[in-house]
Amino acid sequence: MTTLSLAYIFKQQQLLVDEQFQLPRVETLASDLLISTGDQVIARDLQEHEAIPDGLQLIPIRQLLQLWSIQEFEQASRAIQLLEWRRNHKFCSHCGHKTDVHTSEYAMVCPACNYHQYPRVNPCVITVITRGKDEILLAKNARNTSNMYGLIAGFVEVGETLEDAVRRETLEEVGLKLGKIEYLASQPWPFPSNLMIAFKAEYASGELQLQPEEISDAAFFKFDQLPEIPFKGSIAHAMIMHVIQGTAVADDTQAWL
């Protein structure tokens, strides 16, 4: 009897699921990427010439974040990030030779110079900023065509601490200086391979001065007068609810609340 594997099958940022948003089970191929050995779980790309199987559909993984548990989403995040890494490291960055997949670990190995290329994550800080007891800073991304307002976020630069990144991104994007900074939580964010690291910070000084290529609008909003905010399931939503309602963002053992 053929053993079927639970399969994360992606086409760019979309995942194949059935009508109940559950993963299919498929026969394993030699080219599949093994995600978990306990329960056989694999990941693969849906090729351009391949048709979508009957009974399955492609759903954006951002949408699944609102439908799945955090554990299900995190495994999907792991799968898509590993596929992205393997796809982008088919050749050695040292000598240009074609690489091979390591037989027992996540590494692309160069047979010519033996250089090992491992998966990388890009650390990003995301910050919920408060002023006084009932105001929160929300900003609209310049590339966002909707009316949604979110939090200040950005990539950590080389040689920078996480707290330095929080202060720099806030000063660059909205011209404000911060006081106390407190770590909250983190969340894998596979767009394409980021780790969102959440902080809470207190406004200290400055007037809003927007970086136009990044932020189209920003303001301090009263807790009871919020604009459209990020969807439930995202770390940004959890952070905003933490400030306004006092709910926990996450801890070491619990899922997002």
Side-chain angles (χ1 to χ4, degrees):
M1 180 181 294
T2 302
T3 301
L4 300 180
S5 297
L6 198 65
Y8 291 92
I9 303 176
F10 292 95
K11 186 173 185 179
Q12 297 176 352
Q13 291 287 328
Q14 298 182 94
L15 180 64
L16 271 182
V17 293
D18 64 19
E19 294 179 353
Q20 285 73 46
F21 304 105
Q22 299 303 303
L23 297 173
R25 290 189 177 272
V26 301
E27 293 186 24
T28 303
L29 304 176
S31 59
D32 288 341
L33 198 157
L34 185 63
I35 301 299
S36 173
T37 53
D39 259 338
Q40 191 80 3
V41 182
I42 60 95
R44 72 171 67 144
D45 288 312
L46 185 69
Q47 303 303 317
E48 288 296 329
H49 65 275
E50 292 183 281
I52 298 175
D54 291 340
L56 299 179
Q57 58 184 330
L58 284 169
I59 297 293
I61 55 176
R62 285 179 184 268
Q63 182 177 336
L64 292 172
L65 177 58
Q66 304 173 66
L67 300 170
W68 284 2
S69 71
I70 191 62
Q71 290 83 7
E72 290 172 318
F73 178 77
E74 285 182 347
Q75 184 155 263
S77 171
R78 175 180 174 83
I80 195 171
Q81 289 182 70
L82 286 171
L83 284 173
E84 176 85 5
W85 156 75
R86 188 175 68 172
R87 194 183 308 119
N88 291 338
H89 291 83
K90 293 180 178 179
F91 296 90
C92 178
S93 61
H94 277 194
C95 70
H97 198 282
K98 186 174 176 61
T99 56
D100 297 326
V101 179
H102 196 284
T103 57
S104 62
E105 61 183 10
Y106 294 125
M108 301 297 286
V109 182
C110 177
C113 70
N114 201 39
Y115 181 62
H116 287 47
Q117 297 178 123
Y118 294 94
R120 297 283 194 274
V121 294
N122 304 310
C124 303
V125 292
I126 180 169
T127 310
V128 57
I129 300 168
T130 59
R131 186 173 67 179
K133 296 183 181 299
D134 65 346
E135 288 187 315
I136 181 173
L137 179 72
L138 296 173
K140 187 176 179 181
N141 190 290
R143 294 176 291 276
N144 188 358
T145 57
S146 73
N147 290 319
M148 186 182 74
Y149 283 70
L151 304 177
I152 300 300
F155 290 102
V156 180
E157 295 185 352
V158 173
E160 191 174 50
T161 68
L162 298 176
E163 292 81 3
D164 286 342
V166 168
R167 296 184 189 280
R168 174 185 53 76
E169 285 290 339
T170 304
L171 188 61
E172 287 179 354
E173 294 193 352
V174 290
L176 302 181
K177 293 184 178 181
L178 300 177
K180 180 182 177 183
I181 297 174
E182 177 186 348
Y183 169 79
L184 293 177
S186 62
Q187 182 186 40
W189 196 243
F191 304 105
S193 295
N194 302 334
L195 176 65
M196 304 300 293
I197 306 162
F199 290 89
K200 179 169 65 174
E202 297 174 356
Y203 164 82
S205 63
E207 298 295 328
L208 286 169
Q209 297 181 22
L210 308 186
Q211 186 179 21
E213 61 271 26
E214 295 291 337
I215 304 295
S216 61
D217 189 31
F220 281 98
F221 292 88
K222 294 291 186 181
F223 288 178
D224 60 354
Q225 298 176 2
L226 297 185
E228 180 183 346
I229 62 173
F231 55 82
K232 185 177 182 180
S234 66
I235 195 169
H237 183 277
M239 294 166 68
I240 294 169
M241 292 301 102
H242 167 70
V243 166
I244 293 173
Q245 299 180 357
T247 54
V249 180
D251 61 28
D252 292 337
T253 58
Q254 294 178 336
W256 301 103
L257 300 177

